[in-house]
């Protein structure tokens, strides 16, 4: 009889659809994350803020995204994606509507909510990928999940930039995003499957204690901290340099027209679209994580040095940004390592912890880099030497990530002892 297989295949298809839908939500969230970089002048004028003040406001996204990573991770383990993920999408939609008001206070609250709700997309998709599919596919699926996100990041620049320059009002864009968020929030409860098992009433009553135990267990594992540090150091060249300052860097340091600068900047998240699944597949095929992380980080290091210090026109257009984005895909491998280095029942919490540490870098260092750039330029016109001085620490950060990876324990299947053969 084929009925059991049919039932199993049906369940696998349902989980695959759920993972895809949650990944699409991640795409949407990333559009909102990166879109401000192509409307900085409009936002500065509407909100009455300087470039540094606006950068600080936009950075509130990460002040919501980082701490709520822990909340989202625990929610996946305790409540399941069907309950937690739709709530996150609704919060993102509210944040978009508040941002569209043009009031600095409401916009600040809205940007914070966009981050707090948006993190449920990645944590939810990663949870579904790592708990419902074979371990040998973990890095590949997490890489594909991030591919969806970076496709949204690229669209937030590549598509939104021309739309804004073509006459779409910045506030109209955010209203549209709010409506889309409400639609996603309405669809997710229908499309996400129910959790296969519900916790017992006593377990539900002690969920706070269980959550605290899970978070403590993951944080006490030194491998978890290493994963967060490595991922964070490899992420900030994109989240801070490209997605916030990339367009202005190309305009001010290289006299590039706005439209072309938007396209060049968008090549970095486009490279992530290629790099995330590529590094995941390579890692799963090799059965190793560390050498793939080191190779990607080394390539990113070379690209950063060339972007900041290389002569203009040394490579064909879009090449450096694209390769830097591809190399950055290695930053997602620690998300697989931390899951493999912790207990299976702490899968969601582990993803939340690595995301918390990762994006705490973006939250805390975003204003630091903005202030440093203002200081080295003395508040005047910014030139190439000012960007070189301000963003040179990114180069050291990637080099540090390579060093830290040597202390990471290999968790790939090739490093695990072969199971003993039964007599």
């Amino acid at each position: 009889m084929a009925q059991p297989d049919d039932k199993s295949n049906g369940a696998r298809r349902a989980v695959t659809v759920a993972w895809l839908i949650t990944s699409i939500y991640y795409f949407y969230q990333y559009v909102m994350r990166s879109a401000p970089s192509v409307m900085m002048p409009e936002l500065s004028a509407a909100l009455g803020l300087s470039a540094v003040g606006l950068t600080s406001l936009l950075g509130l996204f990460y002040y919501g995204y980082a701490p709520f990573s822990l909340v989202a991770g625990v929610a996946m383990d305790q409540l399941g994606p069907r309950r937690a993920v739709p709530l996150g999408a609704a919060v993102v939609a509210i944040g978009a509507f508040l941002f569209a008001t043009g009031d600095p206070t409401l916009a600040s609250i809205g940007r914070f909510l966009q981050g707090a709700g948006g993190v449920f997309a990645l944590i939810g998709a990663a949870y579904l990928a790592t708990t419902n599919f074979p371990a040998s596919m973990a890095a590949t699926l997490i890489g594909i999940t991030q591919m969806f996100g970076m496709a949204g990041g690229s669209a937030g620049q590549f598509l939104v930039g021309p739309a804004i320059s073509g006459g779409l009002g910045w506030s109209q864009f955010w209203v549209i995003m709010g409506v889309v968020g409400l639609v996603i929030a309405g669809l997710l409860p229908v499309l996400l499957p129910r959790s296969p098992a519900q916790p017992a009433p006593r377990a539900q009553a002690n969920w706070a204690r269980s959550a605290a135990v899970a978070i403590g267990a993951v944080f006490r594992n030194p491998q978890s901290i290493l994963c967060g540090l490595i991922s964070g150091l490899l992420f900030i060249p994109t989240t801070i340099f490209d997605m916030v300052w990339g367009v202005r860097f190309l305009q001010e340091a290289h006299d590039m027209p706005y439209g072309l600068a938007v396209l060049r900047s968008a090549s970095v998240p486009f490279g992530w679209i290629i790099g995330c699944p590529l590094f995941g597949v390579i890692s799963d095929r090799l059965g190793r994580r560390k050498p793939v992380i080191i190779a990607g980080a080394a390539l990113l290091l070379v690209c950063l040095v060339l972007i900041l210090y290389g002569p203009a026109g040394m490579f064909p257009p879009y090449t450096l940004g694209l390769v830097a984005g591809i190399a950055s895909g290695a930053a997602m491998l620690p998300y697989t390592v931390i899951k493999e280095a912790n207990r299976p029942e702490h899968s969601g919490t582990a993803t939340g912890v690595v995301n918390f540490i990762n994006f705490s870098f973006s939250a805390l260092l975003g204003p630091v880099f903005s202030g440093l750039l203002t200081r080295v330029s003395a508040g005047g016109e910014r030139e190439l030497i000012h960007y070189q001085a301000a963003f040179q620490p990114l180069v050291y950060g990637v080099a540090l990530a390579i060093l830290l990876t040597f202390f990471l324990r290999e968790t790939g299947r090739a490093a695990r002892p072969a199971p003993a053969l039964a007599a």
Side-chain angles (χ1 to χ4, degrees), residues 38-238:
V38 301
M39 57 181 80
M40 295 282 275
E42 292 83 359
L43 292 176
S44 292
L47 298 172
L49 297 173
S50 65
V52 175
L54 178 60
T55 301
S56 298
L57 186 152
L58 296 176
L60 290 173
F61 181 97
Y62 296 109
Y63 282 91
Y65 199 85
F68 274 83
S69 294
L70 298 178
V71 176
V74 169
M76 297 305 153
D77 288 333
Q78 301 294 322
L79 303 176
R82 192 169 188 265
R83 295 184 184 180
V85 177
L87 180 61
V91 170
V92 173
I94 294 170
F97 286 127
L98 289 176
F99 198 86
T101 63
D103 179 84
T105 301
L106 293 178
S108 298
I109 296 172
R111 190 62 175 170
F112 179 88
L113 292 178
Q114 290 169 28
V119 73
F120 283 79
L122 172 61
I123 304 297
Y127 180 87
L128 289 167
T130 57
T131 57
N132 294 279
F133 295 91
S136 60
M137 297 174 61
T140 300
L141 288 173
I142 289 179
I144 295 174
T145 298
Q146 187 62 24
M147 178 192 74
F148 275 91
M150 285 304 179
S154 185
Q157 296 175 308
F158 184 77
L159 298 179
V160 177
I164 294 296
S165 61
L168 178 67
W170 71 269
S171 60
Q172 290 177 293
F173 167 80
W174 291 101
V175 170
I176 293 170
M177 288 293 100
V179 172
V180 172
L182 291 179
V183 172
I184 292 175
L187 289 175
L188 283 169
V190 179
L191 298 172
L192 290 175
R194 295 182 182 275
S195 299
Q198 296 296 328
R202 184 175 179 182
Q204 288 179 333
N206 295 327
W207 70 268
R209 181 177 177 275
S210 299
V213 169
I215 292 175
V218 177
F219 265 112
R220 284 195 300 272
N221 185 347
Q223 294 295 305
S224 301
I225 306 302
L226 282 173
C227 287
L229 293 175
I230 294 165
S231 186
L233 290 168
L234 297 181
F235 251 92
I236 54 176
T238 297

Side-chain angles (χ1 to χ4, degrees), residues 27 68 73 233 250 279 291 391:
F27 170 93
F68 274 83
L233 290 168
L250 294 170
F279 280 100
F391 290 102

Side-chain angles (χ1 to χ4, degrees), residues 30 33 55-67 69 111 150 228-245 272 331 335 354-370 391 394:
Y30 238 109
R33 188 191 307 194
T55 301
S56 298
L57 186 152
L58 296 176
L60 290 173
F61 181 97
Y62 296 109
Y63 282 91
Y65 199 85
S69 294
R111 190 62 175 170
M150 285 304 179
L229 293 175
I230 294 165
S231 186
L233 290 168
L234 297 181
F235 251 92
I236 54 176
T238 297
T239 56
I240 294 179
F241 186 29
D242 179 67
M243 288 190 171
V244 176
W245 291 101
W272 277 78
Y335 281 69
V354 70
N355 215 50
F356 167 74
I357 300 173
N358 179 357
F359 286 98
S360 291
F361 276 75
S362 298
L364 299 175
L365 295 180
V368 173
F369 279 102
S370 298
F391 290 102
L394 293 178

Side-chain angles (χ1 to χ4, degrees), residues 200-390:
R202 184 175 179 182
Q204 288 179 333
N206 295 327
W207 70 268
R209 181 177 177 275
S210 299
V213 169
I215 292 175
V218 177
F219 265 112
R220 284 195 300 272
N221 185 347
Q223 294 295 305
S224 301
I225 306 302
L226 282 173
C227 287
L229 293 175
I230 294 165
S231 186
L233 290 168
L234 297 181
F235 251 92
I236 54 176
T238 297
T239 56
I240 294 179
F241 186 29
D242 179 67
M243 288 190 171
V244 176
W245 291 101
V247 175
R248 289 202 168 191
F249 165 72
L250 294 170
Q251 286 183 287
E252 297 173 346
H254 294 287
D255 296 322
M256 198 172 290
Y258 171 79
L260 183 57
V262 169
L263 295 179
R264 290 285 188 94
S265 180
S267 66
V268 175
F270 187 82
W272 277 78
I273 297 172
I274 302 170
C276 288
L278 176 63
F279 280 100
V281 169
I282 292 172
S283 179
D284 281 338
R285 291 288 179 88
L286 291 177
R288 295 189 178 276
R289 314 300 187 200
K290 290 176 59 173
V292 185
I293 296 173
I294 292 170
L299 182 58
L300 175 60
L301 179 66
V302 172
C303 290
L304 268 180
V305 171
L306 291 172
I307 288 170
L308 286 172
Y309 301 103
M314 183 178 180
F315 295 95
Y318 306 100
T319 302
L320 274 180
L322 182 66
V323 175
I326 293 173
S328 298
M332 290 307 295
L333 288 176
Y335 281 69
T336 303
V337 175
I338 195 172
K339 182 256 182 185
E340 295 168 337
N342 286 280
R343 296 173 64 88
E345 62 267 29
H346 296 160
S347 178
T349 303
T351 305
V353 167
V354 70
N355 215 50
F356 167 74
I357 300 173
N358 179 357
F359 286 98
S360 291
F361 276 75
S362 298
L364 299 175
L365 295 180
V368 173
F369 279 102
S370 298
L372 183 59
L373 184 58
T374 300
R375 190 169 77 247
V376 297
S377 63
E381 279 191 34
R382 293 181 287 264
E383 300 177 1
L384 178 59
I385 57 172
H386 301 136
Y387 281 96
Q388 290 172 338

